[in-house]
């Protein structure tokens, strides 16, 4: 029995046999009083016949084949990546289930394998569904087996190593700490480093200042960090007050007249505060394409100065990756009007209707 069959096993036999193309299945939905719904990516299929209406009996039978639900209303199956989420009514009774198929894609980290091997801390960005967690899972396998490093996973929503008690084989020899409540994730991160001495700490979804500050502390201790965060682009992090510390932080600075003229900028500018916690940022464009910022400090400085940043673009071809576009940064053009000489005493200022005496 494969993983998909184990998830489909919670359905009645007659319903299970009606599911087309199980290998392409994304998720199915059971809502009380509504038709059975199956989803293949963005395509939705509804079984409108009366015999496919979801009843309390159907829900009860499905729940009997699942483990217990946590405070986040999620349950899982041991050694699978499937995620089952429930909807409850005001009395706590389950009235709906969303059963999402979890799949591992071994080898998908090949496109950034050199970055992981380097020991640099890496932050993965991308839109929802772009494959951040899938690549993060394969990083765990690579680091714990091929590179033989001690890897500890802080599994925020149990999507990396599965939602059951035993971890999925796709993470190799990595160890996993589950997070009971989202707001305590930074405490679990600290526990992982202090109690289990990882060489590599893997974190899914850094989302607030506490977690960002914890990452900075661990990086200073020499732990390699590999994590995901909210945002699609490096600019998103720079503009996010809660997460910008991951890439060095931002502060306002006031320049002297001479320095402002030399830079060709205004006197009040934004500057990076410190060394980035994550020295490499990878923007996931799609499953086979990524954009790599291999020098985050330089890229952030360029963005804060008003310049343009072009990361290295990589794409998978057959069994290896190739570079579509090399990395380069374009500095901003000096503001010529800021470099003009200030008027001397007694001279009339351009556009002003008065004299300086």
């Amino acid at each position: 029995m494969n993983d998909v069959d184990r998830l489909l096993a919670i359905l009645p036999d007659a319903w299970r046999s009606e599911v087309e193309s199980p290998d392409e299945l994304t998720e199915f939905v059971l809502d009380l009083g509504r038709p059975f719904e199956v989803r293949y990516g963005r395509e939705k299929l509804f079984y409108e016949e009366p015999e496919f209406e979801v009843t309390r009996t159907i829900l009860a039978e499905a729940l009997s084949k699942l483990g217990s639900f946590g405070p986040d209303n999620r349950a899982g199956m041991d050694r699978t990546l499937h995620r089952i989420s429930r909807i409850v009514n005001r009395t706590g009774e389950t009235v709906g289930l969303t059963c999402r198929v979890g799949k591992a894609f071994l080898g998908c980290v090949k496109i950034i394998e050199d970055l992981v091997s380097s020991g640099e801390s890496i932050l993965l960005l991308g839109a929802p569904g772009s494959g951040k967690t899938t690549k993060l899972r394969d990083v765990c396998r690579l680091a714990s087996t091929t590179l033989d490093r001690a890897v500890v996973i802080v599994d925020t929503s149990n999507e990396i190593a599965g939602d059951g008690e035993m971890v999925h084989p796709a993470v190799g020899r990595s160890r996993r700490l589950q997070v009971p409540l989202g707001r305590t994730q930074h405490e679990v991160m600290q526990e992982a480093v202090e109690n289990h001495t990882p060489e590599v700490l893997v974190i899914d979804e850094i989302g607030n200042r506490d977690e960002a500050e914890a990452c900075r502390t661990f990086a200073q201790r020499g732990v390699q960090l590999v994590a995901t965060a909210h945002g699609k682009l490096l600019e998103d992090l720079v503009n996010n007050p809660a997460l910008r510390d991951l890439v060095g932080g931002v502060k306002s600075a006031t320049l002297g007249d001479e320095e402002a003229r030399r830079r060709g900028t205004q006197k009040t500018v934004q500057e990076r505060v410190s060394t980035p916690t994550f020295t490499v940022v990878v923007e996931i464009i799609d499953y086979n394409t990524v954009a790599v910022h291999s020098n985050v400090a330089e890229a952030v400085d360029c963005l804060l100065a008003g310049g343009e940043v072009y990361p290295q673009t990589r794409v998978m071809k057959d069994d290896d990756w190739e570079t579509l576009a090399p990395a380069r940064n374009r500095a901003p053009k000096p503001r010529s009007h800021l470099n003009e000489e200030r008027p001397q005493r007694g001279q009339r200022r351009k556009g002003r209707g008065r004299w300086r005496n």
Side-chain angles (χ1 to χ4, degrees):
M1 178 181 290
N2 61 37
D3 280 357
V4 178
D5 289 336
R6 289 184 61 184
L7 183 62
L8 292 174
I10 72 172
L11 298 172
D13 292 341
W15 293 22
R16 188 164 60 248
S17 61
E18 291 292 326
V19 176
E20 303 173 358
S21 305
D23 292 340
E24 299 176 11
L25 180 66
T26 302
E27 62 187 8
F28 59 85
V29 174
L30 303 174
D31 283 335
L32 183 62
R34 291 185 171 181
F36 175 45
E37 179 184 348
V38 178
R39 299 173 180 173
Y40 301 92
R42 295 184 179 182
E43 180 184 354
K44 299 178 181 179
L45 179 62
F46 296 88
Y47 292 79
E48 302 285 357
E49 294 83 358
E51 61 267 27
F52 289 101
E53 181 180 326
V54 179
T55 64
R56 293 185 186 278
T57 302
I58 296 294
L59 286 173
E61 290 179 356
L63 291 170
S64 69
K65 300 174 184 178
L66 299 172
S68 58
F69 285 84
D72 58 355
N73 283 318
R74 288 183 177 181
M77 297 177 172
D78 283 333
R79 295 185 181 277
T80 76
L81 300 173
H82 306 317
R83 187 180 70 197
I84 299 94
S85 306
R86 68 174 178 173
I87 299 173
V88 298
N89 60 18
R90 288 182 295 177
T91 63
E93 181 184 11
T94 300
V95 294
L97 291 174
T98 302
C99 305
R100 185 169 184 82
V101 177
K103 299 177 182 178
F105 295 92
L106 301 183
C108 68
V109 75
K110 178 73 174 180
I111 196 169
I112 56 170
E113 182 175 343
D114 59 316
L115 303 176
V116 178
S117 302
S118 72
E120 298 287 336
S121 289
I122 304 167
L123 189 64
L124 304 179
L125 304 178
S130 62
K132 297 190 299 295
T133 303
T134 300
K135 280 188 170 51
L136 199 62
R137 186 182 301 121
D138 209 32
V139 166
C140 298
R141 178 196 58 80
L142 172 70
S144 65
T145 56
T146 305
L147 302 179
D148 195 26
R149 297 174 183 170
V151 180
V152 175
I153 304 167
V154 176
D155 214 349
T156 311
S157 54
N158 297 333
E159 292 189 28
I160 301 178
D163 218 348
E165 296 298 325
M166 293 179 283
V167 300
H168 193 275
V171 299
R173 294 194 292 268
S174 303
R175 305 175 74 191
R176 188 264 299 273
L177 273 67
Q178 294 177 309
V179 180
L181 296 172
R183 64 175 179 270
T184 65
Q185 175 164 301
H186 66 286
E187 297 174 358
V188 178
M189 292 163 57
Q190 185 172 354
E191 175 189 344
V193 173
E194 293 180 352
N195 293 355
H196 305 289
T197 58
E199 296 175 86
V200 183
L201 184 66
V202 176
I203 311 150
D204 195 15
E205 293 294 354
I206 299 172
N208 58 49
R209 292 180 187 274
D210 290 336
E211 294 160 14
E213 181 59 33
C215 285
R216 172 169 294 280
T217 301
F218 305 150
Q220 291 171 347
R221 295 185 184 183
V223 178
Q224 181 184 11
L225 304 173
V226 185
T228 64
H230 300 293
K232 298 179 182 179
L233 306 172
L234 177 60
E235 293 93 321
D236 297 335
L237 287 185
V238 174
N239 294 325
N240 186 332
L243 299 181
R244 58 176 50 156
D245 284 350
L246 297 174
V247 292
V250 178
K251 68 177 181 180
S252 295
T254 302
L255 306 177
D257 293 342
E258 292 298 328
E259 180 65 14
R261 280 197 293 272
R262 186 185 69 81
R263 297 190 186 186
T265 65
Q266 297 178 344
K267 294 183 66 174
T268 301
V269 297
Q270 289 189 314
E271 294 183 340
R272 178 168 50 87
V273 177
S274 59
T275 301
T277 301
F278 290 89
T279 51
V280 177
V281 168
V282 177
E283 301 168 355
I284 299 177
I285 300 171
D286 57 40
Y287 182 78
N288 291 315
T289 312
V290 299
V292 177
H293 299 273
S294 56
N295 189 332
V296 171
E298 183 179 294
V300 170
D301 290 344
C302 183
L303 287 172
L304 293 177
E308 298 176 353
V309 174
Y310 300 92
Q312 178 195 39
T313 304
R314 300 180 176 187
V315 63
M316 284 297 298
K317 291 290 183 67
D318 298 324
D319 294 330
D320 206 352
W321 60 271
E322 63 182 42
T323 301
L324 285 185
R328 62 187 179 91
N329 298 330
R330 179 181 295 172
K333 295 181 179 180
R335 300 188 178 187
S336 57
H337 69 280
L338 293 174
N339 292 327
E340 294 176 356
E341 292 294 331
R342 297 182 65 182
Q344 300 296 319
R345 292 180 62 86
Q347 289 183 336
R348 189 184 180 95
R349 276 193 170 187
K350 185 176 181 181
R352 299 288 182 91
R354 54 192 175 90
W355 293 85
R356 290 175 59 91
N357 295 312

